[in-house]
């Protein structure tokens, strides 16, 4: 089984970086007892998810594989074609 390329695209990286910044802001705000800054950090975390999803929908995310969705009938037909080609060769 091949290794998945999960997360290796601009949409995922952008969403993670924005979310990481939001967690950092919220974490610092908890140390500084600032309720408003905690909520601002959590808003940035949510913004990271929205931006990542929007970029993914815009085509900057992982593209679906063409081999994953083959039906069983197509697999049998492809196997029969390979077998027939091997017999005639």
């Amino acid at each position: 089984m091949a290794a998945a390329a999960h997360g290796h695209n601009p949409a995922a990286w952008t969403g993670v970086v924005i979310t990481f910044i939001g967690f950092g802001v919220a974490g610092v705000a908890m140390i500084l007892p600032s309720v408003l800054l905690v909520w601002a950090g959590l808003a940035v975390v949510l913004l990271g998810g929205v931006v990542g999803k929007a970029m993914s929908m815009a085509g900057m995310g992982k593209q679906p594989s063409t081999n994953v969705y083959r039906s069983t009938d197509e697999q049998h037909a492809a196997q029969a074609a390979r077998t027939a080609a091997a017999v005639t060769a």
Side-chain angles (χ1 to χ4, degrees):
M1 176 182 265
H6 179 74
H8 298 287
N9 55 64
W13 279 105
T14 304
V16 167
V17 168
I18 293 172
T19 303
F20 184 74
I21 291 169
F23 274 116
V25 168
V28 169
M30 287 183 185
I31 294 171
L32 297 176
S34 173
V35 176
L36 182 61
L37 202 54
V38 170
W39 285 109
L42 293 176
V44 173
V45 168
L46 292 175
L47 179 68
V50 170
V51 168
K53 183 64 177 175
M55 287 179 69
S56 179
M57 291 172 64
M60 292 182 240
K62 182 175 184 281
Q63 301 301 318
S65 173
T66 56
N67 295 327
V68 175
Y69 302 107
R70 290 178 63 177
S71 71
T72 306
D73 292 336
E74 290 173 342
Q75 291 174 352
H76 289 302
Q79 180 63 35
R82 284 192 297 269
T83 304
V87 170
T88 58

